[in-house]
Amino acid sequence: MEHDWQVYADNAIAWARRGLGTTAYTSLCLAFVEDAYERPNHLEIFGGDFARESAELYGARNSSGTPPTGAFVFYDNTGELLGRRQNWGHVGLCIGDGQVIRAWDRVRIDHCLEIQNLVAPSGWDSPRWIGWAPVERIFQGCRPKDWTDVGDAAAAAQRMAAARFGDGSGQM
């Protein structure tokens, strides 16, 4: 399967920007960035079940410098979820110049380094920078998929989180 990474990134960023301000992806940061790539590009990518696991799978710690446009930007983020305290991680999508669009309390844009300075929700530690993964690494093993039968993206993400984690909660 041949890929045009720039077109995929542009499509993902445009899709993500349309969600600015929504709270539909609260605690579903990984689902948000995956949906941003998958839905407008008609593909399915395969990361981990939560952001921290995806950071490991994509080798985010091996990155340095400012993340390129389209990269997934990862953070360690420990908190209480599903009755357990662990490092669930946090992830956003680099939209250029170090700016990251991400789902937190709402979909918002922050500079990748400033995210560490934001106040975390009650029961959570502040996010700590891990690194980033380029588009090419995220798309390894991807496959075509028609998302039209899945319906509303955020509702589908909530259903998938419920199936994975048991109560509809996702990851920060």
Side-chain angles (χ1 to χ4, degrees), residues 85-165:
R85 183 169 176 79
Q86 74 176 50
N87 183 355
W88 297 96
H90 184 59
V91 62
L93 173 64
C94 185
I95 60 174
D97 298 322
Q99 299 294 309
V100 174
I101 190 167
R102 66 209 182 81
W104 185 257
D105 53 342
R106 59 184 160 70
V107 174
R108 57 190 286 169
I109 297 173
D110 296 289
H111 190 275
C112 64
L113 298 178
E114 293 302 314
I115 290 170
Q116 300 177 107
N117 299 327
L118 298 175
V119 175
S122 178
W124 287 80
D125 299 338
S126 293
R128 293 174 319 281
W129 174 265
I130 292 177
W132 51 268
V135 180
E136 298 86 348
R137 196 170 313 138
I138 295 161
F139 273 79
Q140 287 178 348
C142 73
R143 67 178 179 206
K145 180 166 178 147
D146 178 9
W147 290 96
T148 57
D149 63 336
V150 179
D152 175 73
Q158 291 166 357
R159 284 192 304 274
M160 286 188 275
R164 279 186 189 144
F165 301 113

Side-chain angles (χ1 to χ4, degrees), residues 1-5 7-8 41 43 139 142 144:
M1 178 179 236
E2 194 169 315
H3 304 287
D4 186 335
W5 307 120
V7 169
Y8 288 165
N41 292 304
L43 295 167
F139 273 79
C142 73

Side-chain angles (χ1 to χ4, degrees), residues 11-12 15-16 25 28-43 45 72 93 147 150-158 160:
N11 290 343
W15 186 95
Y25 280 94
L28 295 169
C29 62
L30 181 61
F32 175 73
V33 297
E34 287 180 344
D35 281 352
Y37 264 112
E38 291 175 330
R39 292 186 174 258
N41 292 304
H42 309 287
L43 295 167
I45 56 177
F72 279 12
L93 173 64
W147 290 96
V150 179
D152 175 73
Q158 291 166 357
M160 286 188 275

Side-chain angles (χ1 to χ4, degrees), residues 70-93:
F72 279 12
V73 182
F74 291 99
Y75 302 84
D76 282 323
N77 197 212
T78 300
E80 179 80 26
L81 189 63
L82 310 172
R84 59 189 165 177
R85 183 169 176 79
Q86 74 176 50
N87 183 355
W88 297 96
H90 184 59
V91 62
L93 173 64

